[in-house]
Amino acid sequence: MKRMTSLFAAVGLLLAAGSSWAADKVVFGTNWLAQGGHGGFYQAVVDGTYAKYGLDVEIKMGGPQVNTRPMLPAGRLDFLMGGNLLLAFDNVRNGIPTTVVAAIFQKDPQAFMAHKGQYADFAALTKAPSVLVSKDGQFSFWQWMVTRLGFKDEQLRPYGFNLAQFLSDKTMVQQAYGTAEPLYAAKEGAEVDVFLLADQGWSTYGSIIETRSELVENNPDLVQRFLDASIEGWNNYLYGDRTAAYAAIIAANPEMTVEKLDAEMAQFDKLEIIDSGEAVEKGIGAMSPERIEAFHDLAVESKIIEAGAVDLSKVADTRFVNKGKGLDIKAKLTGK
């Protein structure tokens, strides 16, 4: 009995000590103002998932006046939501010590849109008289479209992130983020066809999560806990109650509304951007070295990057994902 009493006392002391442990502070940077495509991270904050994993996570928004990308190597961020793999390739090429540790989107939401019924399919867009493409797009996916898909530079017109040109010309085609511009066009009364570049062979992941290489080497437990909690957050957000996450997003970005967020998430689902491909069996965040290498080869063949400029062994570390994390949550919430 004395031994049992002593054991219970020891457990009590451990629990008491544990309750005073401070959570690890983590600063996570997003790539733009708070929106539906960031929802899984906000979900993990508001429903206590990060806290469950011993993390105190601050989400720092990107935006028109905030460039979060240089904050990661500078140590002001611990994790960063990036765009596609070209940015990661660029970091490696320039000797910036960052590593991709997860890919939240199995498909890059980069797309083109045309007025409803104006073009029979994506291939028909090669005959469009004008295609609006941003400066960044001209030096990335547009080069691939010209090299591999039959588009011509003669079609190219500068896109200034304004729908006015598109809305005024039924033959106009423009680049779009698959979950954004089509919704803006619909609000203006324009029905559109959306052509996701991922469905045409643009094989990069989207919404990649990057961290500093030294954090991967020196504190892999922190990296694993952040990713595990984020993946749980995404499953709860996609398949559970989003109410609190919506409220947090709207508080951070008052331009958002429940109606806008619902429409955005419906578009994510329609385009199968998040829970598709490798994620179906390996869990959200999944990525493979083979696919990263294939996209690298696509970028080289399209003259987006130079052959030999990127050491692929430094681009990503896949040990933190591909474990089926969150599949039990999905099954419980969906009954599948």
Side-chain angles (χ1 to χ4, degrees):
M1 180 63 76
K2 287 183 179 179
R3 185 176 297 174
M4 291 297 292
T5 301
S6 298
L7 178 60
F8 286 138
V11 170
L13 288 171
L14 286 171
L15 290 174
S19 66
S20 65
W21 293 342
D24 291 314
K25 178 68 176 179
V26 169
V27 184
F28 172 59
T30 65
N31 55 3
W32 199 247
L33 300 173
Q35 55 193 267
H38 304 167
F41 305 108
Y42 283 93
Q43 180 81 28
V45 170
V46 299
D47 71 7
T49 300
Y50 284 133
K52 180 180 75 173
Y53 279 84
L55 302 173
D56 174 15
V57 175
E58 174 190 352
I59 298 178
K60 188 179 291 291
M61 292 192 303
Q65 307 301 323
V66 181
N67 183 7
T68 51
R69 177 150 291 277
M71 296 182 186
L72 180 63
R76 294 171 60 191
L77 298 177
D78 301 299
F79 297 90
L80 174 68
M81 174 197 295
N84 63 45
L85 286 168
L86 290 177
L87 296 171
F89 293 162
D90 197 51
N91 278 0
V92 172
R93 181 173 55 185
N94 289 298
I96 299 173
T98 59
T99 304
V100 180
V101 290
I104 302 302
F105 297 169
Q106 285 293 304
K107 295 181 180 180
D108 186 350
Q110 188 62 59
F112 277 80
M113 69 180 188
H115 288 270
K116 190 77 173 177
Q118 189 69 36
Y119 299 94
D121 52 24
F122 183 79
L125 301 186
T126 61
K127 306 301 181 184
S130 299
V131 180
L132 301 175
V133 182
S134 68
K135 185 66 70 175
D136 285 346
Q138 292 172 30
F139 293 104
S140 57
F141 53 82
W142 179 254
Q143 290 186 218
W144 165 72
M145 292 167 67
V146 170
T147 304
R148 302 279 290 272
L149 302 181
F151 287 81
K152 299 177 178 60
D153 283 330
E154 291 75 24
Q155 297 174 275
L156 189 62
R157 303 290 183 274
Y159 174 47
F161 297 93
N162 186 306
L163 290 180
Q165 284 179 277
F166 176 79
L167 294 173
S168 66
D169 185 348
K170 290 286 188 181
T171 68
M172 186 74 71
V173 172
Q174 75 155 64
Q175 77 172 65
Y177 201 72
T179 58
E181 280 85 355
L183 303 180
Y184 307 154
K187 188 175 180 180
E188 297 296 327
E191 289 189 86
V192 299
D193 289 318
V194 180
F195 303 96
L196 207 62
L197 292 187
D199 295 335
Q200 313 303 322
W202 183 247
S203 57
T204 181
Y205 297 109
S207 192
I208 58 175
I209 304 302
E210 300 171 77
T211 190
R212 294 185 302 281
S213 301
E214 58 88 10
L215 197 60
V216 171
E217 295 168 7
N218 299 329
N219 200 347
D221 173 68
L222 180 68
V223 177
Q224 189 69 71
R225 284 186 286 134
F226 176 75
L227 292 178
D228 284 350
S230 298
I231 292 166
E232 284 194 20
W234 271 103
N235 279 278
N236 283 315
Y237 178 72
L238 290 177
Y239 303 112
D241 184 357
R242 302 174 188 163
T243 305
Y246 274 12
I249 291 169
I250 293 168
N253 179 13
E255 291 187 4
M256 284 291 142
T257 65
V258 170
E259 292 73 22
K260 286 181 179 178
L261 290 167
D262 277 343
E264 183 183 351
M265 295 315 300
Q267 196 74 351
F268 269 107
D269 185 53
K270 178 182 177 181
L271 297 174
E272 299 181 325
I273 287 172
I274 301 173
D275 194 4
S276 61
E278 296 164 83
V280 173
E281 294 185 357
K282 297 180 180 179
I284 291 171
M287 56 182 184
S288 69
E290 294 79 14
R291 182 166 163 188
I292 293 170
E293 182 177 1
F295 182 68
H296 167 267
D297 293 346
L298 176 154
V300 169
E301 292 167 12
S302 303
K303 296 181 172 51
I304 299 171
I305 58 176
E306 295 179 0
V310 177
D311 181 351
L312 285 176
S313 69
K314 296 181 179 180
V315 171
D317 191 326
T318 63
R319 72 177 124 154
F320 303 103
V321 292
N322 303 333
K323 302 175 183 181
K325 186 66 180 176
L327 294 182
D328 57 335
I329 296 173
K330 176 185 175 180
K332 181 179 179 181
L333 292 173
T334 64
K336 299 179 182 177

